[in-house]
Amino acid sequence: QVNAWLLQFKLLNVKVRDIRDITPEHRAKIVNFWCEYHSDAWDMGTNQSSGALGGRVFQATSAQRKNESSLSRSLQRSVSLGSLLNTSSQDLVRVENDTKRKLLPPVRDPRRMRYLRQCQSQARMPLALPFVIGQSTKLNVAGLDLTDDDILAIAEALPDAALVDDINLGENAMLSDRALEHLMKRLMRPGLTMKITNMSFSGCIRAGRHFQQALVNLMNDAFELRTLDLSRVKLSLKYQLPLCEAISNREALEVVNLMDTAMGGGTPSHRSKCITTLLQGKLRVLNLGWNSFDAEFFSILGQCLGQNASLTTLGLSNTAASGAETENVEESSTPVSHLIEQLWKAKPLQKLDISMNRIDFRAALVLDAAVEHHKALKQIILKDNPLGAWGVRCGLRTLTYKTNVLNYIDFAGCYSGEEPRDEDSLVFNPSNMGGGYDLSLENPYHRSILRMLYKTADRLKLEPDFLMQVSTPGYVHVKKNAEGFYDVPTEGEVSVNFNADRCLESSSFKDIKPSNFNGYLERFFDSTRHILPDEKAVQLFALWKELDGCNHEQTVFLRALSRDFGFSIANLMTLASTSQLFKAQCIICLLGAIPQESSNYYLSQMMYSTSMECIISRHKLRVLDSFNTSNPTGHYKLKLENAPDYAVAQRLMLLDKWEMLIDKRLGRFDLSQNHNGGHSRNEEFQGRRLSLIVDNFSDWNLPEYDDFELDYISSQIPAAGQATISNVFFDQFLLTLNMEYCSTSVKIAALRRVSHQFYIDSRQMRMIMGFFALAEERCEVMVTFFTRLVEVHHSKVYKVRLDNFEDHLQVQKRLGFARCFPYVQPENCQFELDLSYYDQRVCIANLVYLASREKIANIRNASYVLADGTVDELVMGVPRSWEQLDRVPCSGVFSCSYVCAPEDRNYSLRRQLCQTHTYYEMNLTEDQVSWWTGVNEAPSDVLEVLLFLMSNKDKKTPTLEKAFVFIDGVDGNGVITFRELTEGLEEMGFRFRGDTVRLRRSVTAMEAAQNNPDARERLHHVFRYLDPGGEGSISKQEWEVLSQLWREVQLSISELARFFLRTFNGNLDTAWSRLRDKAGSDRISERIFMDSIREMGYYGPVDVAFKRFDVSFDGVVTHEEFQLLKEFVTTITNQRLSMC
């Protein structure tokens, strides 16, 4: 279809030179003409008989030949009569042998005779013109570079001409005004003038006022004149209006060419009269190109086109006058916009040439708004205008509207031009039209922006009053007229705030569930993108095919298509197959413009011609490939000049708008970083914080260049009672994840792609994180699955996988401090809050609010560094006023830690804060919460005491409850003092481990307390940790912290057992063999134990498991001690069997 369309278009629009066939009759007339002219055939004496000009026969003698003029001799040398006669008809030659005379036919055509006599008198070489020799009634001397003598000779033949219907003197620049006037006067015979149908004086640059006066007089009688060409003839101001009147009065006149005729001169009233008079006739084709017209002229021209009922073709190439330079770019834009805006009025117009008129993306938007519903316009010539990618985008939209009949726009030379600047606020972007617009209604571009806003409201089926908040008093919204055009006012100013958020309240989005992000994006793109209609696809593909081989033009063309258009996979395949060199670039640029379905993605990746194309394309598509619309939470580093990255940024902006609307509907607390309700964080563009440029990311006019980096955190959460992935399937999932098929970065990308398919709990999150060695990889996994967690109160379970406080801080920065705040279990947590950010001020307010209702002393190690670097030690404590958010300072850095004894815990308040700030429904009682303490929260000495208590060989304390009773005594008071703790540990035989150098050196607890100050201090650390309230004793509830820590130890060992079960099918002997081969001994040290298991692919807390296995406290694990793991393997196996 594209090939057939192109061929048909060329046949209909490309002029083909008409090559005249020289027939024998035509050749004979040329010979006759030259024979009559040749000096040998002229009667120079008195004794000639009939023939030649005088009808006598001329006998050449030697004496007469001597008297020939030099001109005759030159003519004889240049023209050979014998050669002409030998190749011509024999009827023209008769030879008498006795006298050797040549008898030539008589001249019977008076105009030819007059022409030849004039040439002789002026010593000019005659021309064998078809008009002169009687071959044609058309006086066509175009491009012969005639002089005044030549045209005067032709003029002499005109009075005897019976008919002259076509006069073409084009491209004869040497003809003077007097010669042309003389020719006009010779034509002014009533019988001759009335028959003229076509006149062309194109390029007769010396034609002056005398010729123009004669032309006006002649046209008054040329009733059958159909075509007039005066291009490049400078018309005097005096005769411009009379000429226009003469043109208007000729009802048969259809085609007029006034290109480069200085028609734009004179006063405004003069120009107005000229164009108004000119278009009062019945012209069908008018060319006013290469004149200089201002905005007022174009405006009047547009009004006249609305009143004209016959003009079908209008040429305005290079007619935009250069105005005065102004600081306002919109005001200094091309004046032709004033005409383009009124094209909807020109109902019969079919072809428009507005090339070389400095049309930029602003005027292109005016064109877009004006001809969307035009029912006659078929071709627009936009050549050599600085459209750029934004202007071409508007032009392609204009071409592919199914409400008009446009089938071709010429964009040659339009692929470079100005692009909107960052500071330009008056830029209409169909993908992000929200924001404020201060419009001057005297400017066509501003009026077109207003029309596009009205069209957007109409497309979304919303009232303008609902979407557009007008701050100008007295302004009334306009309605669409019968032609589908919004005829907005042309005077005054109006300030419009287009509320893009209200677009989402359209009926188109009513049935979209809040969590259906993919459905929302598809519906939004269907409503705002320009979907390529099938009936206009061929025209678009034809333009693309014409650009094959032009790299720059193809690049701009694809940029224009990738932003505002929507395509099907069939459209993409057609475009990609049309240009082999740009096939990969087509896929890269347009993949984001097709529906994001797995089948479409698969088909698009099957179109590459070579493996190198595939590799390069996949590299540029990697961000879009890993982008999960249903779970967009993550970190994004985008190159906005890359179309797939731009598509991701565009989707994030739209999702941010959608989630802000959902949060508003649900009345959710604002947890944004900058108190704007947004879900993006840490946005940086060109290395600068985006908050310095714009208040909200979703309101940003997204540029198409440079690097952009941000974090996005979605507010979607699982529904209450949401089921998690089954353990059986999860084991298979982990087994696949452990296989060494690809790098960890690919695994993380794959996890992101499938993360929306299931929900997990805290323990499953912990196990997934355990398969990644590096801290940044574990942070990425945690961010990916953060919104897929069905519980928020057990965050400590998986946060153990983060190695240090810096990792915790990094995750908080990415996910948001208020979202990551441990509302239910803040014990032992450290905080470092930058109070210049809103969400971190929310954290400190909640922390102070919680502490004031639990125990204000729970906030420990508080420090406040002011913005100028001054350190405030907060000697009087943290100000209680900070529990009010508006009283928290807006600068400085606050750091602290939080501890709380179980008896001081205010669970109901914690649950309330959690529900408010995490959006989860907390229906659990305090007993249903699995209170947790991570290994990295407790001091190592506390862990050492715990492991001793739970691995006591004498089994004096098989449980922590009995250990508490044993230390407190049978008749104890229910609390443990420091002395009781020291004596109880000594009686149990507890010994501190030494460091890695002195593994076997140890002392008893009593000896350490009495003789070793350092060991005594370690015992004090254990006691103070177990006594967070600072009462000087450990209560039973405080002792339960060891139970929380013990659950962490048990879970760590259980995870290791699960790993061995998946890797070695539960065969611990095989696992031990691997460890023994690595150590080269049956006694395995802690370092070798940890390194070996990491080499197997497990990155959990192995050091805890080693210490648990080392029941002898000798720093090594034997085969017998390793068998402690069998108990965990058996338990896990039984659980699986029971589930099956």
Side-chain angles (χ1 to χ4, degrees):
Q1 285 181 326
V2 172
N3 294 333
W5 189 92
L6 282 174
L7 178 60
Q8 181 183 8
F9 179 82
K10 290 180 180 179
L11 292 176
L12 291 176
N13 294 277
V14 178
K15 295 183 179 180
V16 181
R17 184 183 299 274
D18 183 14
I19 302 176
R20 184 187 300 275
D21 294 329
I22 306 300
T23 62
E25 293 79 6
H26 180 65
R27 187 186 303 116
K29 290 186 177 183
I30 294 177
V31 172
N32 188 12
F33 171 81
W34 284 112
C35 290
E36 291 174 353
Y37 168 75
H38 199 276
S39 61
D40 286 347
W42 282 60
D43 183 7
M44 297 296 184
T46 59
N47 298 324
Q48 287 91 8
S49 58
S50 63
L53 296 178
R56 297 181 296 274
V57 179
F58 173 68
Q59 182 177 3
T61 63
S62 59
Q64 289 171 330
R65 290 194 183 96
K66 290 180 181 180
N67 295 328
E68 288 180 351
S69 65
S70 60
L71 176 61
S72 299
R73 288 195 296 271
S74 65
L75 291 175
Q76 185 178 10
R77 287 193 299 270
S78 61
V79 181
S80 175
L81 177 63
S83 62
L84 289 173
L85 294 178
N86 290 334
T87 58
S88 62
S89 174
Q90 295 299 321
D91 295 337
L92 299 177
V93 181
R94 186 172 62 197
V95 179
E96 296 182 9
N97 295 329
D98 54 347
T99 61
K100 297 183 179 179
R101 292 181 300 177
K102 297 179 176 66
L103 183 63
L104 298 179
V107 180
R108 298 184 177 90
D109 190 348
R111 63 175 172 178
R112 189 164 71 239
M113 181 181 66
R114 295 171 67 92
Y115 174 72
L116 292 175
R117 286 191 180 279
Q118 183 66 22
C119 290
Q120 180 188 12
S121 65
Q122 300 293 333
R124 301 298 299 173
M125 171 74 73
L127 300 174
L129 301 174
F131 174 77
V132 174
I133 67 177
Q135 177 69 16
S136 174
T137 59
K138 303 181 186 299
L139 179 55
N140 185 0
V141 292
L144 297 183
D145 294 327
L146 299 182
T147 63
D148 286 356
D149 293 337
D150 295 325
I151 204 67
L152 291 175
I154 295 174
E156 285 298 318
L158 291 177
D160 294 324
L163 176 65
V164 180
D165 57 4
D166 191 340
I167 301 174
N168 189 352
L169 271 67
E171 310 306 327
N172 287 286
M174 292 187 293
L175 297 180
S176 67
D177 182 40
R178 288 295 183 181
L180 291 171
E181 180 195 17
H182 181 71
L183 178 66
M184 291 293 100
K185 290 182 178 180
R186 287 289 186 173
L187 287 170
M188 291 171 59
R189 273 195 356 226
L192 192 62
T193 306
M194 294 178 60
K195 300 296 182 180
I196 299 177
T197 59
N198 303 303
M199 286 195 300
S200 175
F201 301 96
S202 173
C204 297
I205 58 177
R206 296 182 180 179
R209 296 193 299 172
H210 298 90
F211 161 74
Q212 296 170 24
Q213 176 65 56
L215 176 64
V216 172
N217 295 335
L218 183 144
M219 288 188 61
N220 290 329
D221 296 328
F223 297 105
E224 296 185 8
L225 185 64
R226 293 187 177 87
T227 303
L228 176 63
D229 188 356
L230 294 176
S231 57
R232 286 175 291 163
V233 176
K234 303 300 181 183
L235 298 178
S236 173
L237 290 177
K238 179 180 179 180
Y239 296 105
Q240 286 182 4
L241 184 57
L243 179 63
C244 292
E245 293 174 347
I247 293 173
S248 177
N249 293 331
R250 298 281 69 81
E251 294 186 359
L253 187 58
E254 296 180 346
V255 180
V256 173
N257 188 350
L258 298 178
M259 182 184 72
D260 195 15
T261 55
M263 280 295 293
T267 63
S269 61
H270 171 76
R271 296 194 299 267
S272 175
K273 291 179 181 178
C274 286
I275 191 62
T276 303
T277 304
L278 186 64
L279 290 179
Q280 286 177 352
K282 296 184 178 180
L283 296 179
R284 295 183 64 253
V285 179
L286 175 62
N287 188 357
L288 295 174
W290 291 85
N291 292 294
S292 182
F293 301 140
D294 58 9
E296 182 180 357
F297 180 89
F298 280 117
S299 184
I300 297 173
L301 177 58
Q303 297 174 11
C304 295
L305 288 177
Q307 301 171 2
N308 186 282
S310 59
L311 193 66
T312 60
T313 302
L314 179 61
L316 293 170
S317 176
N318 193 22
T319 53
S322 299
E325 294 292 335
T326 62
E327 295 182 0
N328 193 331
V329 180
E330 287 83 6
E331 293 180 359
S332 62
S333 61
T334 174
V336 77
S337 300
H338 291 266
L339 168 68
I340 296 175
E341 184 185 22
Q342 303 183 66
L343 286 177
W344 66 275
K345 300 178 181 178
K347 297 180 181 179
L349 191 63
Q350 298 180 12
K351 183 177 180 180
L352 177 65
D353 183 359
I354 47 177
S355 56
M356 291 185 289
N357 276 302
R358 307 193 316 277
I359 296 176
D360 56 5
F361 69 91
R362 302 176 183 88
L365 182 69
V366 179
L367 179 66
D368 184 3
V371 302
E372 180 180 354
H373 298 279
H374 206 292
K375 301 301 181 183
L377 191 59
K378 296 181 179 179
Q379 295 183 36
I380 299 178
I381 310 301
L382 282 173
K383 292 195 303 182
D384 300 317
N385 281 299
L387 294 180
W390 279 73
V392 172
R393 186 180 310 169
C394 295
L396 292 178
R397 282 202 309 265
T398 304
L399 174 64
T400 53
Y401 283 129
K402 61 181 179 181
T403 53
N404 62 31
V405 295
L406 266 176
N407 56 32
Y408 184 72
I409 296 182
D410 191 349
F411 290 106
C414 297
Y415 295 94
S416 296
E418 180 188 1
E419 302 255 342
R421 297 170 296 181
D422 294 341
E423 60 270 18
D424 290 342
S425 58
L426 292 177
V427 177
F428 179 79
N429 187 349
S431 301
N432 186 17
M433 72 291 291
Y437 299 87
D438 295 328
L439 305 175
S440 173
L441 296 181
E442 298 176 357
N443 191 313
Y445 175 60
H446 291 200
R447 295 195 292 267
S448 297
I449 290 178
L450 186 57
R451 292 188 184 98
M452 298 304 288
L453 296 177
Y454 279 123
K455 288 183 180 181
T456 302
D458 182 60
R459 190 165 52 248
L460 294 172
K461 300 178 181 180
L462 294 173
E463 292 295 328
D465 291 335
F466 182 71
L467 288 177
M468 302 164 59
Q469 300 174 0
V470 181
S471 58
T472 304
Y475 179 82
V476 179
H477 289 292
V478 299
K479 300 292 184 181
K480 183 166 55 176
N481 59 23
E483 286 77 17
F485 188 78
Y486 289 92
D487 201 2
V488 301
T490 58
E491 295 180 352
E493 296 181 352
V494 61
S495 296
V496 179
N497 183 22
F498 192 88
N499 193 336
D501 296 338
R502 291 189 174 182
C503 294
L504 305 182
E505 299 183 21
S506 169
S507 58
S508 302
F509 303 97
K510 291 295 185 182
D511 58 335
I512 303 295
K513 295 181 179 180
S515 60
N516 187 5
F517 291 171
N518 196 42
Y520 153 69
L521 287 179
E522 290 181 2
R523 192 71 57 84
F524 184 87
F525 287 144
D526 289 342
S527 301
T528 59
R529 274 184 172 174
H530 184 68
I531 307 301
L532 180 64
D534 293 338
E535 53 267 36
K536 288 298 187 76
V538 172
Q539 288 86 333
L540 182 69
F541 297 154
L543 286 178
W544 171 248
K545 187 172 183 179
E546 285 183 338
L547 297 178
D548 193 15
C550 305
N551 293 345
H552 172 68
E553 287 79 0
Q554 286 182 300
T555 301
V556 175
F557 194 90
L558 289 177
R559 276 188 60 199
L561 292 180
S562 64
R563 300 299 187 255
D564 301 335
F565 280 76
F567 296 96
S568 65
I569 185 63
N571 297 147
L572 176 59
M573 296 176 71
T574 302
L575 288 168
S577 61
T578 302
S579 178
Q580 292 297 323
L581 293 178
F582 258 68
K583 177 181 291 187
Q585 195 66 21
C586 275
I587 299 172
I588 293 172
C589 290
L590 301 182
L591 187 60
I594 64 175
Q596 295 300 301
E597 301 175 1
S598 57
S599 58
N600 289 343
Y601 182 82
Y602 174 78
L603 290 173
S604 65
Q605 300 305 296
M606 295 295 291
M607 290 189 288
Y608 299 115
S609 300
T610 64
S611 57
M612 184 56 65
E613 277 187 0
C614 181
I615 294 172
I616 295 175
S617 300
R618 292 297 295 273
H619 177 72
K620 292 188 175 182
L621 288 169
R622 65 186 185 279
V623 178
L624 181 61
D625 180 22
S626 61
F627 180 70
N628 190 335
T629 305
S630 299
N631 183 23
T633 300
H635 179 74
Y636 299 91
K637 191 172 184 180
L638 309 172
K639 294 184 177 297
L640 296 180
E641 64 271 13
N642 186 29
D645 289 10
Y646 185 92
V648 171
Q650 189 180 45
R651 284 164 169 78
L652 289 174
M653 292 180 69
L654 295 175
L655 289 175
D656 192 23
K657 288 181 179 293
W658 175 252
E659 295 205 71
M660 288 171 63
L661 176 64
I662 299 303
D663 292 345
K664 184 179 179 180
R665 287 179 182 174
L666 300 178
R668 288 174 171 172
F669 192 86
D670 183 11
L671 300 177
S672 59
Q673 186 178 35
N674 298 309
H675 197 22
N676 53 18
H679 297 75
S680 61
R681 303 179 53 82
N682 313 314
E683 310 99 328
E684 288 188 359
F685 177 65
Q686 296 179 330
R688 294 190 304 162
R689 287 171 52 186
L690 188 63
S691 58
L692 301 176
I693 303 174
V694 66
D695 293 335
N696 202 327
F697 163 61
S698 59
D699 296 332
W700 186 33
N701 189 11
L702 191 65
E704 300 180 11
Y705 59 89
D706 230 313
D707 294 344
F708 177 52
E709 191 170 356
L710 80 160
D711 291 290
Y712 189 89
I713 170 65
S714 174
S715 60
Q716 67 165 344
I717 57 173
Q722 177 67 52
T724 62
I725 186 173
S726 66
N727 289 332
V728 176
F729 183 81
F730 186 69
D731 286 340
Q732 294 296 325
F733 173 83
L734 295 180
L735 183 62
T736 305
L737 188 63
N738 190 41
M739 294 181 178
E740 299 179 357
Y741 288 145
C742 52
S743 63
T744 54
S745 61
V746 176
K747 291 180 180 179
I748 293 175
L751 288 175
R752 177 181 293 277
R753 289 290 300 272
V754 302
S755 60
H756 68 287
Q757 300 285 356
F758 54 89
Y759 294 91
I760 59 176
D761 58 25
S762 299
R763 297 195 178 196
Q764 290 170 333
M765 166 80 90
R766 174 191 175 111
M767 284 188 277
I768 295 175
M769 295 173 64
F771 280 88
F772 296 92
L774 301 180
E776 55 268 23
E777 295 171 348
R778 292 194 290 272
C779 291
E780 188 65 33
V781 171
M782 178 178 169
V783 170
T784 300
F785 287 98
F786 182 75
T787 58
R788 312 305 294 176
L789 285 166
V790 297
E791 55 190 12
V792 69
H793 49 280
H794 291 155
S795 60
K796 281 191 173 184
V797 174
Y798 59 84
K799 287 182 179 179
V800 175
R801 288 288 190 251
L802 302 179
D803 295 335
N804 48 51
F805 177 69
E806 286 71 20
D807 294 339
H808 283 272
L809 195 61
Q810 185 65 27
V811 170
Q812 289 175 334
K813 289 180 179 179
R814 293 180 57 179
L815 293 175
F817 285 78
R819 286 292 298 273
C820 290
F821 190 86
Y823 296 99
V824 179
Q825 301 189 51
E827 288 82 2
N828 303 317
C829 290
Q830 299 180 21
F831 301 96
E832 184 177 314
L833 305 172
D834 186 350
L835 302 185
S836 62
Y837 294 102
Y838 169 76
D839 64 324
Q840 300 188 46
R841 296 197 297 272
V842 171
C843 290
I844 186 60
N846 288 333
L847 194 64
V848 176
Y849 183 74
L850 180 64
S852 63
R853 283 150 183 81
E854 291 186 341
K855 198 173 185 178
I856 195 63
N858 288 351
I859 298 178
R860 305 279 180 87
N861 308 317
S863 175
Y864 179 42
V865 180
L866 279 67
D868 59 359
T870 305
V871 179
D872 186 352
E873 298 294 343
L874 299 175
V875 179
M876 302 299 294
V878 179
R880 298 288 292 270
S881 61
W882 284 10
E883 67 180 54
Q884 301 178 22
L885 182 58
D886 56 345
R887 303 287 297 275
V888 178
C890 295
S891 62
V893 177
F894 176 80
S895 58
C896 69
S897 59
Y898 193 87
V899 297
C900 183
E903 56 268 21
D904 297 331
R905 185 187 300 148
N906 189 340
Y907 175 73
S908 61
L909 178 59
R910 294 186 180 190
R911 184 175 63 180
Q912 178 185 349
L913 292 174
C914 182
Q915 292 182 150
T916 302
H917 296 87
T918 65
Y919 316 138
Y920 281 80
E921 294 184 11
M922 284 274 304
N923 297 321
L924 301 177
T925 63
E926 185 173 0
D927 296 335
Q928 292 175 315
V929 176
S930 180
W931 299 98
W932 206 269
T933 300
V935 174
N936 50 5
E937 296 179 27
S940 58
D941 292 337
V942 176
L943 180 61
E944 195 167 331
V945 171
L946 174 64
L947 292 176
F948 171 78
L949 293 176
M950 300 308 296
S951 61
N952 188 5
K953 292 183 179 181
D954 298 334
K955 297 297 179 181
K956 294 181 180 179
T957 58
T959 64
L960 290 174
E961 292 80 1
K962 292 185 177 181
F964 181 87
V965 174
F966 180 84
I967 296 174
D968 184 33
V970 179
D971 299 327
N973 57 357
V975 294
I976 298 176
T977 63
F978 177 69
R979 182 177 183 83
E980 290 175 339
L981 178 64
T982 305
E983 293 176 351
L985 292 177
E986 179 190 14
E987 186 175 351
M988 294 180 191
F990 171 73
R991 296 175 180 273
F992 279 115
R993 296 174 185 267
D995 56 26
T996 56
V997 179
R998 299 177 298 167
L999 287 175
R1000 294 185 179 277
R1001 292 183 58 188
S1002 58
V1003 295
T1004 65
M1006 181 60 67
E1007 291 172 347
Q1010 295 177 354
N1011 304 322
N1012 191 337
D1014 182 61
R1016 181 181 179 85
E1017 184 64 25
R1018 291 171 68 183
L1019 285 174
H1020 269 294
H1021 284 164
V1022 174
F1023 183 80
R1024 283 195 294 268
Y1025 177 80
L1026 296 176
D1027 179 28
E1031 298 89 354
S1033 60
I1034 303 173
S1035 64
K1036 287 185 177 181
Q1037 290 178 311
E1038 292 172 335
W1039 184 260
E1040 283 297 318
V1041 174
L1042 293 178
S1043 299
Q1044 301 174 21
L1045 185 59
W1046 178 246
R1047 285 195 289 271
E1048 165 65 26
V1049 173
Q1050 293 288 90
L1051 181 58
S1052 300
I1053 301 174
S1054 177
E1055 287 175 345
L1056 181 61
R1058 287 180 180 274
F1059 173 77
F1060 285 146
L1061 190 62
R1062 288 190 301 269
T1063 307
F1064 304 106
N1065 294 324
N1067 192 338
L1068 295 181
D1069 292 336
T1070 305
W1072 176 256
S1073 299
R1074 291 278 297 274
L1075 295 172
R1076 185 181 56 190
D1077 293 342
K1078 177 71 175 179
S1081 170
D1082 288 335
R1083 297 171 60 84
I1084 302 175
S1085 65
E1086 182 177 3
R1087 175 54 54 192
I1088 294 177
F1089 184 83
M1090 294 177 62
D1091 292 344
S1092 300
I1093 294 182
R1094 288 185 180 273
E1095 289 178 2
M1096 297 178 191
Y1098 181 74
Y1099 304 100
V1102 184
D1103 54 341
V1104 177
F1106 179 86
K1107 292 177 181 178
R1108 177 68 180 90
F1109 297 154
D1110 184 18
V1111 294
S1112 60
F1113 279 44
D1114 56 357
V1116 294
V1117 171
T1118 63
H1119 182 265
E1120 180 182 357
E1121 293 173 331
F1122 186 73
Q1123 294 303 312
L1124 291 174
L1125 198 61
K1126 185 177 295 185
E1127 177 184 349
F1128 292 90
V1129 172
T1130 304
T1131 302
I1132 296 172
T1133 303
N1134 293 335
Q1135 290 177 353
R1136 290 182 177 180
L1137 292 175
S1138 63
M1139 292 181 62
C1140 294

